[in-house]
Amino acid sequence: MDLEHVLFGLSTFVNDCEEKKLNVDNVYKESYLKLLDQMALLLRDESTRDHELIRSNLPKFIDSADYLLVNQEQPGYNELLLEVIRVLANSIADNDVNRRQLSSKSDFIEHLSNQLESKPDDSSLNERILILLKNLVIDTPDVAKDVSFITQSLLSYISQSDGGIFMAVDLLTDLIGNMQYNPNPQNIENLIKLLVKTLNQQSDLDEDEFAELVVNISSVLEGITVDPRFKFDNAETEKTLQVGLFDSLKKIDSLEFQNILMAKRRLFASIGNISANLTTSNKPMRTYSISNVQDQNQQNGYIISGCFTIIGNSISSPEDRNEVLDQAPALVDDILSKYNYLTDPVQFQGILHLLKTLINFDTVGTLFTEKNFKVL
């Protein structure tokens, strides 16, 4: 059946949705489902997606999907909704003109995101929605910016759902830089919990999917922790987030997967982002960080450098410096003993920053002992 005949057959469906009087008797429903399936198949072809008939009718199908979504509790509506979402997803694949038609329907986009947040266990519908939204924003930064208000719903969804996580996190990576969300540290904590859960399930996941999911979660963490709107002035919150990130780095160090370096760097950057936030004291993490620096068995350069950064950022006055040196009199020696474990260029900023904050008249002699001079 060609496009014109399919659209003609669906004209009653579209009109009834518009007039909010859709008849879902079995005969009508089965006919509509077959026609929607045929239309979705036709839309796999690029020339069909570019067809003027699609461009002129697309707003009607968007409105029909919105009507079905809002009224999905009505008998028979859910099956039709699944197929209309599929039609829309295919219609916007690699087609910027159609994407912009869809992205302009902000109420519909909001209803889609609300569905994810309010009904995270509706796996069939949510999977279709995530595919639709991914097709909408992929490689289209301006559209991603327009629909970035869905970010909080996605963050809520991944904290509640056991399914569809891969697609939801993948979608979030397209929104980095434009993400709109509530700057509540709980969002960061939920992402860290998801990362830990994923790291512990490596054997249960496809190798490539596992690697991509870990890197994507790490990317979202890096993108979200840099936001200065977050407040980390609660000591327990600061410790929970930072220890969670350090534990993730430790766990990753025991694994092997593609692009592991990228994941390590992004988690390391997340630690630095939280530490550099103007509301972060860093003092609640001082003992933890000093212990890692003093630990002769600690050889993870990212953990070591992250601890260097935190200790350095916890020092904002001569009194702070004295507190640190009173707690760890041989800290300069301990710092320099870790130098050879710093193997990634991004790790060296932490040691330079910390040494700069520690060195004064009383400590400079320690720095330039014969043993330490060889390191320097």
Side-chain angles (χ1 to χ4, degrees), residues 24-25 32 34 56-57 83 94 98 104 113 125 152 154 185 206 213 223 241 252 283 291 308-309 321 324 332 338 375:
V24 288
D25 289 344
Y32 293 152
K34 289 178 181 178
S56 60
N57 282 280
E83 287 305 303
D94 298 319
N98 294 347
S104 68
S113 66
L125 178 55
Q152 183 57 56
L154 286 171
D206 172 80
L213 183 55
L241 299 182
I252 285 178
K283 291 180 182 180
S291 296
F308 286 164
T309 298
R321 181 176 61 232
V324 169
V332 172
K338 297 295 186 183
V375 177

Side-chain angles (χ1 to χ4, degrees), residues 61-200:
F61 282 93
I62 296 171
D63 291 342
S64 296
D66 196 27
Y67 168 71
L68 292 170
L69 180 61
V70 172
N71 297 281
Q72 63 180 287
E73 303 305 326
Q74 294 292 326
Y77 277 27
N78 190 263
E79 290 178 75
L80 291 166
L81 175 60
L82 288 170
E83 287 305 303
V84 180
I85 295 291
R86 178 181 166 216
V87 165
L88 294 178
N90 287 359
S91 73
I92 63 174
D94 298 319
N95 193 300
D96 290 349
V97 175
N98 294 347
R99 281 171 174 159
R100 288 187 176 88
Q101 283 204 63
L102 181 57
S103 66
S104 68
K105 299 279 190 175
S106 57
D107 287 345
F108 176 51
I109 303 297
E110 185 174 359
H111 293 156
L112 292 173
S113 66
N114 289 343
Q115 159 71 23
L116 294 171
E117 186 171 7
S118 62
K119 299 179 180 178
D121 297 325
D122 190 348
S123 57
S124 297
L125 178 55
N126 289 341
E127 181 178 340
R128 294 279 175 97
I129 289 174
L130 289 168
I131 293 171
L132 171 63
L133 293 172
K134 179 66 177 183
N135 283 358
L136 181 63
V137 303
I138 187 170
D139 298 327
T140 318
D142 56 334
V143 173
K145 184 175 182 179
D146 290 341
V147 303
S148 59
F149 60 84
I150 68 175
T151 306
Q152 183 57 56
S153 292
L154 286 171
L155 289 169
S156 299
Y157 171 74
I158 64 175
S159 71
Q160 302 176 71
S161 176
D162 289 327
I165 298 301
F166 180 86
M167 287 188 291
V169 174
D170 184 43
L171 178 56
L172 277 171
T173 62
D174 288 292
L175 303 176
I176 291 175
N178 297 307
M179 293 189 291
Q180 298 180 32
Y181 50 84
N182 175 17
N184 185 331
Q186 187 64 50
N187 279 322
I188 300 175
E189 185 175 351
N190 289 339
L191 286 167
I192 295 173
K193 288 179 178 178
L194 175 60
L195 177 60
V196 172
K197 180 180 177 181
T198 302
L199 292 173
N200 289 328

Side-chain angles (χ1 to χ4, degrees), residues 158 164-170 173 194-195 197-199 201 205-220 257-258 263:
I158 64 175
I165 298 301
F166 180 86
M167 287 188 291
V169 174
D170 184 43
T173 62
L194 175 60
L195 177 60
K197 180 180 177 181
T198 302
L199 292 173
Q201 293 179 332
L205 299 173
D206 172 80
E207 182 179 343
D208 291 337
E209 183 173 311
F210 171 81
E212 188 172 350
L213 183 55
V214 171
V215 171
N216 283 345
I217 297 172
S218 303
S219 298
V220 176
F257 57 89
Q258 190 175 4

Side-chain angles (χ1 to χ4, degrees), residues 237-261:
T237 297
E238 179 188 340
K239 288 168 65 176
T240 297
L241 299 182
Q242 294 288 51
V243 171
L245 290 168
F246 278 117
D247 286 347
S248 298
L249 277 172
K250 181 179 179 181
K251 178 66 176 179
I252 285 178
D253 213 34
S254 67
L255 305 176
E256 292 185 7
F257 57 89
Q258 190 175 4
N259 293 324
I260 189 172
L261 178 61

